Structure formats: structure tokens, C-alpha cells
Amino acid sequence: MNDMTEAQHLDAPPLALAQALRIDEIHPSPTNPRKTFPEDAHAEMVKTVLRHGVMSPILVRPWPDKYTVEGLQPKYELIAGERRYRAAKEAGLEYIPGTVRDLDDHETIELQIIENLHRKDLNELEEAEGYEVAMKKFGYTAEQLADKIKVSKAYIYARLKLTALCEKAREAFRNGLLDASRALLIARIPIATLQIRATKEITESYGGVWSYRQSAEWIQRNYMLKLTEAPFPRADETLVAGAGKCHPCPKRTGSSPELYPDVKSADICTDPECFAAKKAAWMDRQKSEAEATGKTVLLGDDARKIMPYGAGCEMQHYVVLDRQNDDAPKVDGEKPTYRTMLADAKVETMMVEDTRTGKLVEVAKRSEVKKAMVAAGITPPATSSDREREAEAKVREENEFRRRLHRQVRTAFFDDVTERGAEFNEDELRLVTRQFWSCTWHENQKKLSAIWVESEEKIEEHERNRTLFERIGTMTPAELCLLLIDLSLIGQTQLNTYSRDSHPTHLLDMAKRLNVSPDTIRREMQVEKEEKAAKKKGKAAKAVAPVIETEPTAEPKQTETATPSIEYKVGERVSYGDMAMDDTETYATIQSIAENGNIELLTHTGKHMVVARWAAEKWMKPAPLEAHKEEAKTEETPAVVRTKRTTTTGKIEALYTHPENADLAWTGRGRKPKWVEAWLDNGGTLEQLLAKKRPAHKPKGGKSTLATSANDEIVIPRCDKTLELQGLDVAQTTHHAAA
């Protein structure tokens, strides 16, 4: 077995052994397709060589005599391993491991391109140049290269097409502005000047470099032309010298379908200049032939004046003889052309260029066509223009009728309404209201429907609008008048962002006529705004008893009132408004009056506080007689006085409660509940229903909601805090227990 192995080894060609080669005796191969070496990868390779040396030998062959170089002729030609060679040279090595083999040019190119090219990190353009060398110098075919590299033939053709790039496009490719896919789109344009223009359009657009899809669509739309729409005969090879026929042309997409997988049609010309040259040549030939027969030929701008939108559109003063007459009756199921209808008539024609298609079409004046038809005994059919003019005449007649009718109706109505006292009857009101409704914008209709149509159930907008419109038929005259006013003024109830400077003139005029004060409304809104701000501030503060000061601090100017407008007396019962608690009133007793006018009060909760004189005059007033009586009865035990109960947020729960059922309560505002009305009807008074007159009530939980002993204290911090928010000077509260 060993003998067989040795025999086989002896029969095999001897293997070249690696040896140390002097670097200065080696020169890169001129046929190596690699031209660029990334700096970062090269720097990394140099570090590796300095650390570990060159671990894999390079491949060289003796330098061929046919190669010429500047200076001293090298000893070896580098076949494979140029990156290692460059790194070792820069690292300062004197020797590099290498294998020397005797190779001919064919073997050299095969090793460089076929064996190594598809495995190296070359850019696509260098790869294409390598394939081009293999095919041109050494006779490789695309099929052979595809088989060697194990890729498709279309891949080889796509790479080879990159060699058709002009220098401007190659520069953009090397700079990274184009990738291989977009570069291929440009390479398929056969004209260098057009490639330059397309490269600029794709890489220098306003939004940056276009995507592949954008680039493909742009090039197909601007640099590819449909041969099926060519105005010239595609099989005529005499139109342009050297251009030949269109079908076998290599610039037709169908000639190299593997290069145009994104183009659906095979009959696409990729050479716009050749296409334009054939089109111009064909136009010149047609013009010469027409002028030879004595016909007038119009081209360019002169043709656009007569046929601005192409032969497919109807012209005002001319007709295309080969165009169907849509106004004529059908013959054998089709509309006849003007040429067919004029078969027995003579009419002067001329040739006009259709600038949209580049074809010459024969036209004649419309008036001459009609005369020729009449002379030949043919009745010209009515044209669409004739029918339009007839319809317009009828519209003008109808409009005049309506205008006259309106004038007479309004004259008669004015006489009638003057006689009966300038009032609409119900039918007239409904008519006017419906008309106003139909002319109102949809947004305003929605606003009115929301006002007029109330429903506990959720109704869609269109349903609500329909409901209101149907109600017009059953409204009373007063409701109709109100809706008319709404329709007139609803547009001024909203200020739009685009009309901030507009004024509700009509709304203000109506308000003035009806004695509605806009200023009062604005003041009410301002008060509401201030109340909301006070409530918001009160919620933000901690719900604790207010801090009481021993020395009152009065407002600077307002506390220096020498002669107060209201005289207060010690022991007088007063009430003060609590704006944060729905404008309810709280009672207190004047304890003392300071020299500067500040007043010390004993509140109904048994607390002391001091208010500024100016605030007292603004918010305090004498208490009602009933309050005097009730307070007098409970003056000895202020700590057990039952007051208005509040929740933890300060909102009043009840001011009046049922004498027998604590669950029935009333805040004292708004409409009286039925049980309150029944109490009053039976001779009772509201004072008897005050919460402080009721005995203690214990809920189901067993805990009393009110104070029931002298040691219990009911604190209403919201009340005192509100006085502080309204400008009162709150002094430090002193807690008193019942004697």
C-alpha cells in the first residue's frame, strides 16, 4: 500500500516549496484586477505582520521579459497575496515567504481572476474589469466564467456592464455615492453625456442620493423610450446612417434581457439620441413628401397653435380627417371618420405635427368641412358644441324667467305684508327658515342641533341635524322666529384662529336692541374665573386649621380708614360670605374692634379670627333676625353647635336636613326638594330645618357624623381659608372648649 502511495506521489507533478524571497526582487502583477486597498484593513494587516510575521506564503512566477517597468527589472511577478506583500514591505521586512511557480499567461490570469477574484473583498467595478481582461485577452466566455466561479451568467453580464460606466460615474462609484445596483442602471445608458446627466440627477438631488427604486423609475421614464410608440418605421434602416433596424439593435432591452430584469417590455430603446435622430429624419421625409404634393406642413410652435393638446382632442377650428366623428350616426357599428364622410366632397387640407407623438396628421378647417358636406348633399350632424350652445341658451332663458318671476313675487309679497302689518304667516316663516337652514354651514348646523335637540340617549350628529330640520314643520311661529335669529347669529358665536380680529357685530347689535348687557356677562365670567382660581389654590393647600396671628396685619392703604362707612358694635351678630363654598353664609359675633378698624370675630365654630376693616366692609353684613335667635339659644355652648357639614374637600353636604330622616338634606341653593316644600306647606320654617337644630344622627356604621359633646370640635378650615383667599386678614385661631 505504501508502494502504491509512493508510486502515485512520484507520478504527480512536483509541488513547489515555499522559500524566503527578497521583497525588493518582487513586483505586483500588471494584470491583477485589484487596484484599491482600504487603509483601515491595510493598517490592521501591518500590525498583524509586525506581531506574527507573514504566516501564509505568497505566489510568484519569474518576471516575463515582455513586461517593461521603470528602473531595474524585478526578478518575480506577484500572482497572489498582494495585501500580504504590501503589509510586509511597509513593516520593513527584508524577506517574505513565497512559492515560485512557472506559469504561462493563461494560468496566471486564471489564478488571479477565476480562483481568487470572487473570494476577495474587491469592489464590483474591479471585479468587472477582471472579467473583462479574462474575456478579451484570454478568450473566456461568460458561460465559462460563470461555471468557474459558480455564479449565473446574468451575474457575469451585470458585472461586465459596469465597465461601460463613464469616468464621472466611476468617480461617484469610488466615492461611495453609487452602489453597484444604481451604477448598473446608469451603465445601461449607452451615451456618455446622458450617463453624466443621470449621475448628477441621482447623486446631487435636493433630498440626497436617490434610492434604487427612485433611480430606476427616473431612468426608465427619462432615458428609455417605447419602440411601440415610435412615429417612424422601426424596420427602416435608411433613416439614420449606421443605426440599422431597431429590432436587432443591441441597445434594445430585448437583446440583453439578463441586463434588464426590472424592465417588463423587450421593445424599449435605451438610446434616446438615436431615437430622436430617427424621429427627426422621418419627420423631414414626411414633410418633403407632403410639400411635393402641394400641401402645407406646420411643425413645432406653429403646429401647437392649431393642435395644442394633440390629435386625440377636439380642436375649435380644425378637424383631424382620420378621427371619428362622435356626432355622426354609426355605420356598421362604428362612428365614421371625417375622411369617410368627405369621400365624395373636396376640401383643402394640410399636414400638422402632433408634437406629443411626433407624427404628421392631416387636418382641415371645420367651416370648410361643413361647406364641403353641404355641397355634396350631406347634412352635417350637430356637434357637441352646437348642443352646448343650445343648452346654454335654454339656461339663459330659464334664468330670465326666474328673475322676472322673483321680481313679481316679491312685489306682490311686499304689498301683501304691508297690508296685514308686516308680519310673516306660518307658511312663509317655515319657507324662510328651511331656506336659511339649507344655506347654513354644516358646522353651524351641528351647533344649532345641539342646542335645539335634547336627548338623554346619545344621538349621532347627522341624526340630530335631521331631527331639527323635520321639527321646522311643526314649530310655532315664535320658535320659527327664534330659529331664524339663531341661524343668523350662530356663525358669530365662535372665534376662529384665522379670524381673531373679527367682531360679532350682528350679535352685539341684537344684544343692544334686546337690552342684553355684554359687560355684565364679561364681569360674571371674570368672577367665575376668579372663583375657579381660588378653589384650585384651596385644593392645593393642605387641609389644616388656619394659622392665627396674635397681631392683625391690615392691608396698607385700605386699613387706614378714618371714618368707616359702616358702624360695627361689640356683640353684634354678623354673617360673612364664603365664596369657595357656593356663596353660602356663615355667622359670627363681634368680640372687639381695634383702633385701626380691624375686627375680632367669634365664629359659629367657637374660633377667634381677626379681619381687616376694608375686608369686613366688603364681605360682612348684619345677620338675619332668625340667626340672632338661633345663635342666642346656643350661645352658652358654642362647641356643640351643629354647623354646615363639609366633606374632606370642603364641599357643603347639607344646610337643611329633615327633622326625622338625616338622609334627606338640602344645601339651601337651587330648587327646594319636595320634602322641604311639604314642610313649609304644613306651617314649618326653614330655621327649624337648620342642621344645628337637629338631634345627633348616627349612621349605620354607629359613628356620629356631628359633634355630640362639649369636648368635640367641628373645624371647617375651608371657610377661614376662603376668607384669606378673598383678601381677609386671618388672625390666629384660638380653640375654646365649652364651659
Side-chain angles (χ1 to χ4, degrees):
M1 185 172 181
N2 292 336
D3 294 340
M4 291 179 62
T5 305
E6 292 177 0
Q8 292 175 357
H9 179 72
L10 292 174
D11 292 338
L15 297 176
L17 299 177
Q19 55 185 297
L21 305 176
R22 291 184 62 85
I23 291 180
D24 56 5
E25 295 179 347
I26 304 171
H27 193 279
S29 174
T31 60
N32 190 353
R34 183 187 295 275
K35 299 295 187 295
T36 58
F37 297 87
E39 293 183 2
D40 53 348
H42 175 67
E44 187 66 27
M45 178 68 77
V46 172
K47 292 180 182 179
T48 302
V49 170
L50 288 172
R51 188 180 304 115
H52 305 291
V54 179
M55 303 179 67
S56 299
I58 62 175
L59 178 63
V60 299
R61 73 167 180 170
W63 186 263
D65 294 334
K66 63 180 179 179
Y67 290 165
T68 58
V69 294
E70 296 181 1
L72 185 65
Q73 181 172 315
K75 186 176 181 179
Y76 302 105
E77 176 187 5
L78 179 61
I79 306 301
E82 187 166 349
R83 291 180 65 226
R84 284 166 282 166
Y85 163 78
R86 287 173 174 265
K89 189 175 182 179
E90 184 170 337
L93 300 184
E94 184 177 357
Y95 293 91
I96 186 172
T99 301
V100 181
R101 294 180 60 182
D102 289 326
L103 302 170
D104 58 22
D105 292 344
H106 189 277
E107 292 173 330
T108 298
I109 200 66
E110 186 171 286
L111 285 171
Q112 286 180 332
I113 297 175
I114 301 175
E115 297 297 334
N116 296 324
L117 189 60
H118 67 288
R119 296 199 301 266
K120 301 300 182 181
D121 52 348
L122 301 175
N123 64 53
E124 293 84 351
L125 183 57
E126 291 176 339
E127 184 181 355
E129 292 170 346
Y131 296 149
E132 185 179 35
V133 171
M135 295 179 71
K136 288 184 177 181
K137 289 189 176 182
F138 302 101
Y140 281 95
T141 63
E143 290 80 359
Q144 290 173 334
L145 289 173
D147 183 62
K148 288 283 187 181
I149 305 176
K150 306 303 180 183
V151 295
S152 65
K153 186 173 67 172
Y155 176 88
I156 299 296
Y157 278 119
R159 285 289 185 264
L160 286 171
K161 194 62 180 177
L162 292 177
T163 60
L165 286 172
C166 66
E167 188 55 37
K168 179 73 173 179
R170 292 188 181 211
E171 181 181 349
F173 182 83
R174 296 189 188 100
N175 294 335
L177 297 177
L178 292 176
D179 58 10
S181 59
R182 282 173 287 190
L184 179 60
L185 295 175
I186 296 174
R188 295 186 311 190
I189 302 175
I191 310 300
T193 54
L194 298 182
Q195 282 193 16
I196 295 174
R197 190 173 74 184
T199 301
K200 185 176 181 180
E201 291 166 345
I202 292 174
T203 60
E204 300 180 14
S205 63
Y206 177 76
V209 180
W210 288 349
S211 66
Y212 172 81
R213 183 175 180 179
Q214 288 176 303
S215 305
E217 291 177 352
W218 177 261
I219 289 178
Q220 288 188 31
R221 188 166 56 249
N222 295 275
Y223 297 95
M224 295 185 180
L225 301 167
K226 296 180 180 179
L227 289 172
T228 54
E229 298 178 0
F232 52 84
R234 291 173 287 168
D236 192 341
E237 57 184 359
T238 63
L239 287 175
V240 176
K245 299 178 181 179
C246 292
H247 185 75
C249 179
K251 300 174 185 178
R252 174 176 162 270
T253 56
S255 299
S256 303
E258 61 275 357
L259 288 178
Y260 301 93
D262 56 318
V263 182
K264 297 180 180 180
S265 175
D267 284 329
I268 300 295
C269 175
T270 62
D271 190 346
E273 291 187 354
C274 180
F275 190 96
K278 287 188 175 183
K279 178 180 174 180
W282 176 246
M283 185 63 66
D284 291 340
R285 183 182 296 181
Q286 290 184 95
K287 180 180 179 182
S288 300
E289 292 175 354
E291 291 177 344
T293 60
K295 290 184 178 180
T296 302
V297 180
L298 298 180
L299 305 175
D301 293 338
D302 293 334
R304 289 190 186 91
K305 293 178 182 178
I306 294 177
M307 193 185 299
Y309 307 111
C313 298
E314 187 173 348
M315 295 173 286
Q316 183 176 3
H317 301 295
Y318 290 85
V319 295
V320 178
L321 295 185
D322 291 323
R323 185 167 180 254
Q324 290 181 336
N325 188 343
D326 296 330
D327 300 313
K330 291 184 178 180
V331 178
D332 297 332
E334 294 184 358
K335 296 283 187 178
T337 63
Y338 285 97
R339 190 182 299 278
T340 302
M341 298 181 67
L342 292 171
D344 299 330
K346 293 183 179 180
V347 62
E348 184 178 356
T349 64
M350 61 180 176
M351 305 299 292
V352 179
E353 178 190 10
D354 184 349
T355 55
R356 298 200 172 194
T357 63
K359 298 179 180 179
L360 282 180
V361 294
E362 191 172 8
V363 303
K365 286 187 177 181
R366 189 179 295 276
S367 58
E368 296 296 329
V369 170
K370 286 187 177 181
K371 290 180 182 179
M373 286 184 177
V374 172
I378 304 172
T379 302
T383 64
S384 57
S385 300
D386 295 335
R387 289 193 292 271
E388 289 176 2
R389 284 192 290 270
E390 183 179 354
E392 290 173 358
K394 289 183 179 179
V395 170
R396 288 195 297 270
E397 182 180 351
E398 177 67 15
N399 289 342
E400 179 61 23
F401 162 75
R402 295 186 182 188
R403 282 193 292 269
R404 293 187 183 185
L405 179 62
H406 178 236
R407 284 197 294 267
Q408 294 185 21
V409 167
R410 67 189 305 273
T411 301
F413 174 77
F414 182 76
D415 295 339
D416 182 58
V417 79
T418 302
E419 256 183 57
R420 66 173 187 252
E423 292 181 354
F424 281 128
N425 60 38
E426 288 190 27
D427 292 335
E428 293 164 346
L429 272 176
R430 295 188 206 285
L431 171 65
V432 175
T433 306
R434 286 193 180 98
Q435 186 63 21
F436 263 70
W437 175 267
S438 64
C439 296
T440 302
W441 288 358
H442 179 68
E443 290 299 320
N444 290 337
Q445 287 183 354
K446 290 195 301 184
K447 296 175 187 176
L448 289 176
S449 299
I451 296 173
W452 281 82
V453 181
E454 298 180 357
S455 175
E456 296 181 358
E457 300 179 359
K458 186 177 180 180
I459 303 178
E460 294 185 0
E461 293 177 352
H462 67 87
E463 182 66 21
R464 197 182 292 270
N465 290 356
R466 186 183 63 80
T467 301
L468 177 56
F469 180 74
E470 291 177 352
R471 280 181 54 183
I472 294 177
T474 58
M475 286 183 180
T476 63
E479 290 175 332
L480 290 170
C481 291
L482 177 58
L483 183 54
L484 279 175
I485 293 300
D486 284 344
L487 289 167
S488 302
L489 301 179
I490 193 66
Q492 294 192 341
T493 59
Q494 183 173 348
L495 183 64
N496 298 315
T497 55
Y498 54 82
S499 58
R500 296 180 180 178
D501 297 333
S502 62
H503 298 282
T505 307
H506 303 307
L507 192 59
L508 293 173
D509 290 345
M510 180 62 73
K512 182 178 181 181
R513 191 177 70 82
L514 297 175
N515 295 323
V516 176
S517 174
D519 294 336
T520 300
I521 297 175
R522 290 193 182 278
R523 284 196 296 270
E524 291 175 354
M525 292 174 62
Q526 181 62 26
V527 171
E528 292 174 2
K529 182 178 179 181
E530 293 174 354
E531 290 178 358
K532 289 181 180 179
K535 289 181 180 180
K536 186 175 181 181
K537 185 177 180 181
K539 290 180 180 179
K542 293 183 179 180
V544 295
V547 179
I548 300 176
E549 301 174 359
T550 56
E551 294 295 332
T553 56
E555 288 290 328
K557 297 181 180 179
Q558 294 168 323
T559 56
E560 298 177 359
T561 306
T563 56
S565 57
I566 300 178
E567 293 293 336
Y568 294 103
K569 298 179 180 179
V570 176
E572 183 180 2
R573 313 296 292 178
V574 294
S575 64
Y576 56 88
D578 190 349
M579 299 299 294
M581 300 173 66
D582 299 328
D583 294 338
T584 56
E585 295 182 343
T586 307
Y587 303 109
T589 304
I590 298 177
Q591 297 297 299
S592 63
I593 302 176
E595 294 181 359
N596 59 2
N598 292 348
I599 300 175
E600 181 184 1
L601 297 177
L602 175 64
T603 68
H604 60 282
T605 62
K607 299 176 184 178
H608 285 261
M609 72 176 186
V610 178
V611 297
R613 178 58 187 244
W614 68 269
E617 292 181 355
K618 184 175 182 180
W619 301 107
M620 288 171 44
K621 61 183 178 180
L625 179 61
E626 292 80 1
H628 281 263
K629 295 178 180 179
E630 298 297 337
E631 292 292 339
K633 294 178 182 179
T634 59
E635 187 173 350
E636 296 179 358
T637 57
V640 296
V641 172
R642 298 185 182 276
T643 64
K644 295 174 286 184
R645 298 296 296 169
T646 63
T647 64
T648 56
T649 59
K651 184 177 180 181
I652 297 177
E653 290 183 349
L655 177 62
Y656 303 100
T657 54
H658 196 281
E660 298 177 357
N661 186 356
D663 293 332
L664 297 179
W666 178 44
T667 62
R669 296 181 60 82
R671 185 175 179 179
K672 297 181 181 66
K674 290 184 179 180
W675 67 268
V676 175
E677 294 180 353
W679 176 268
L680 296 176
D681 291 342
N682 292 330
T685 64
L686 292 178
E687 289 73 19
Q688 295 172 343
L689 297 179
L690 286 173
K692 60 188 177 183
K693 289 288 292 179
R694 288 183 58 258
H697 168 70
K698 293 185 178 181
K700 295 180 180 180
K703 294 182 179 180
S704 175
T705 57
L706 299 179
T708 57
S709 68
N711 294 327
D712 293 336
E713 181 181 9
I714 301 175
V715 181
I716 308 179
R718 189 67 185 271
C719 174
D720 298 336
K721 186 65 177 177
T722 302
L723 290 174
E724 183 183 39
L725 292 175
Q726 297 295 342
L728 299 180
D729 187 7
V730 181
Q732 189 172 13
T733 304
T734 304
H735 299 278
H736 296 273

